Amino acid sequence: MARKTGSHSQITGPKVRQAASKLFARHGFAAVSMRQIASEVGVQAGALYLYTPDKQSLLFDLMQGHMQDLLAAWEAQEKGRGPLEQLEAFVRFHIGFHLDRPDAVFIAYMELRNLSDENFAVIEGLRKRYEDVLEGILREGQQAGVFAVPDTKLAMMALIAMLTGVNTWYREGGRLSRDKVEEIYWDMARKAVAA
C-alpha cells in the first residue's frame, strides 16, 4: 500500500505543479483558488494539501524551481572565451531557455508581488545570481575595452528586459524562426554595448 501511495504521489505532485503553473499564468495567482487547481488535476481540494501546505508555498515552489533550473542550465552551457563570446552565449541561452517555458517566465516576472517577504527574498537572491552573470560579462568587457557601457548594472537590466520581452510576442511557426530571433537579438545586444 505504501508503495502505491508513493508512486501516486510522484505522479500527482508534478500534476499539481503543472496545473498551478498553467492556471497562475492564464488567470493570475490571486484569481486562482486551490479548488480550481484540484479540479484541473482531477482530485478533491483537500487532497492538494498532501502535496503543498498552501497556495503561497505552491507559487514559491514554482518560482524557485524555475530559477534553479535556469541557473543549472546556464552552468552547463558552453560559454565561449572572452566577453564577446560570453555575451553571445548568454543572449542565445536566455532567449532559448525562456521561450521553452512561457508559463514559468510569466509567473517568475508577474507574480513576484504575491510572494511573502521571506519567499520574495529567496527568489530575489536567485535572480541576483543570474543577473550577476550578465553584469560580470559586461564588466569584463568594459575593462577589456570591448564594451562601452557607462553603467554595467543599468546595461544588464536593459538587456535582461529586452531579452525576456521576446516571450511577450514570439510564437512558434510565426514569421521568424527561433534561430533568426536569436541572431537578430544578438546583433542588437552587441551593438548596444559595443565600444
Side-chain angles (χ1 to χ4, degrees):
M1 181 76 165
R3 192 171 177 191
K4 204 173 198 182
T5 306
S7 26
H8 183 68
S9 174
Q10 291 171 347
I11 294 167
T12 307
K15 281 185 176 178
V16 168
R17 287 187 291 281
Q18 289 168 354
S21 180
K22 177 178 147 188
L23 291 169
F24 292 165
R26 184 177 297 152
H27 304 293
F29 173 80
V32 174
S33 68
M34 291 295 269
R35 189 173 302 285
Q36 286 173 284
I37 296 168
S39 175
E40 184 79 20
V41 176
V43 298
Q44 294 294 319
L48 284 186
Y49 297 100
L50 297 172
Y51 308 100
T52 184
D54 53 35
K55 197 169 76 158
Q56 171 69 206
S57 298
L58 194 49
L59 177 64
F60 173 70
D61 288 345
L62 290 171
M63 290 180 145
Q64 184 179 42
H66 171 69
M67 290 308 303
Q68 289 171 337
D69 290 350
L70 175 67
L71 288 164
W74 172 253
E75 203 55 43
Q77 177 73 22
E78 179 62 43
K79 296 170 184 69
R81 295 181 187 192
L84 200 60
E85 283 185 22
Q86 289 170 8
L87 181 60
E88 180 176 5
F90 187 94
V91 166
R92 291 180 185 276
F93 166 81
H94 187 93
I95 290 171
F97 185 92
H98 286 71
L99 284 180
D100 286 340
R101 298 158 182 83
D103 287 352
V105 171
F106 181 83
I107 292 166
Y109 283 87
M110 299 307 294
E111 298 298 348
L112 279 169
R113 66 187 181 274
N114 286 306
L115 288 173
S116 67
D117 291 345
E118 183 181 326
N119 288 342
F120 181 86
V122 172
I123 299 304
E124 274 298 288
L126 292 169
R127 285 173 65 132
K128 183 170 179 356
R129 279 179 50 199
Y130 184 67
E131 291 168 351
D132 285 350
V133 167
L134 178 54
E135 189 173 3
I137 293 169
L138 294 172
R139 192 176 298 113
E140 185 184 334
Q142 182 188 53
Q143 290 166 355
V146 178
F147 302 148
V149 287
D151 187 302
T152 56
K153 185 167 185 65
L154 186 61
M156 173 275 292
M157 290 188 297
L159 287 173
I160 292 273
M162 179 180 88
L163 298 174
T164 305
V166 173
N167 275 62
T168 62
W169 61 264
Y170 181 82
R171 297 293 172 265
E172 288 290 345
R175 186 173 64 84
L176 298 170
S177 69
R178 280 182 180 222
D179 288 344
K180 190 64 177 172
V181 169
E182 284 181 17
E183 185 184 319
I184 292 169
Y185 268 69
W186 160 234
D187 190 53
M188 289 191 296
R190 181 179 50 79
K191 288 175 178 169
V193 299

